Amino acid sequence: MSDSINLSRRRLFSRRKDDALRPPYVRADIEFTDLCTRCGKCAEACETAIIIKGDGGFPEVSFADAECTFCGRCHEACDETIFDAALEPPWPLKAQISTSCLAASGIWCQSCKDACDERAIRFTPAIGKAPMPELELDACTGCGACVAPCPSHAISIIKPSN
């Protein structure tokens, strides 16, 4: 019984994995929540307003209404040593298309392809059915331009697993 108490206490005080989508150019070698002061300057500077106040008041990225243009204003506004403007790519995020895509139900829709400037989403024509999306991960910047226009909310931006 004392082992279970110790384990639960240990879990309580251990760092939980940070799954939040952070702004671009955030250094990978830091613990974001240790350095961020939650001042909100990055959110105020964001030209597309995708940086929002998230869990605990820390900045997170939401692609519900817009995309990241990688303008760099977020890191220019920050006084902390959180960002590295030289990062290439600016983050590891990539698009993911779920099975709720309208094309999977036989409905012709290519709104994500139309929104993708990088041409990371292609549709291959097929006889007798709606073309299915194909995602070219190497071309995807994770900008999120494809998320908001998707009528079935089938696209999300994720941190790929290694």
Side-chain angles (χ1 to χ4, degrees):
M1 186 163 164
S2 64
D3 286 338
S4 64
I5 293 172
N6 290 341
L7 288 176
S8 66
R9 282 185 181 164
R10 195 172 297 138
R11 281 188 211 108
L12 177 66
F13 294 108
S14 67
R15 288 192 188 271
R16 66 184 175 103
K17 188 174 183 227
D18 184 13
D19 288 330
L21 301 180
R22 300 296 180 203
Y25 304 105
V26 169
R27 293 176 28 213
D29 64 333
I30 63 163
E31 185 65 41
F32 184 85
T33 55
D34 286 349
L35 296 179
C36 178
T37 62
R38 298 177 273 189
C39 68
K41 290 180 183 177
C42 59
E44 292 169 14
C46 181
E47 74 177 10
T48 57
I50 64 166
I51 300 176
I52 61 169
K53 187 174 281 199
D55 191 26
F58 292 100
E60 294 182 14
V61 173
S62 170
F63 297 106
D65 297 315
E67 67 192 86
C68 183
T69 61
F70 306 109
C71 67
R73 292 181 184 168
C74 54
H75 70 77
E76 291 168 1
C78 184
D79 296 328
E80 306 307 320
T81 58
I82 294 172
F83 295 95
D84 179 358
L87 281 179
E88 265 316 307
W91 55 21
L93 305 180
K94 299 289 180 182
Q96 179 178 4
I97 303 172
S98 77
T99 57
S100 64
C101 175
L102 292 177
S105 299
I107 300 169
W108 189 295
C109 175
Q110 296 186 4
S111 60
C112 57
K113 174 188 163 205
D114 296 340
C116 182
D117 288 340
E118 301 300 320
R119 299 183 183 211
I121 303 172
R122 297 186 303 257
F123 283 80
T124 304
I127 297 173
K129 60 181 181 176
M132 293 296 293
E134 296 175 24
L135 184 59
E136 178 63 45
L137 288 178
D138 290 339
C140 180
T141 63
C143 72
C146 56
V147 175
C150 179
S152 64
H153 308 289
I155 303 176
S156 56
I157 303 298
I158 62 162
K159 295 177 187 176
S161 56
N162 294 341

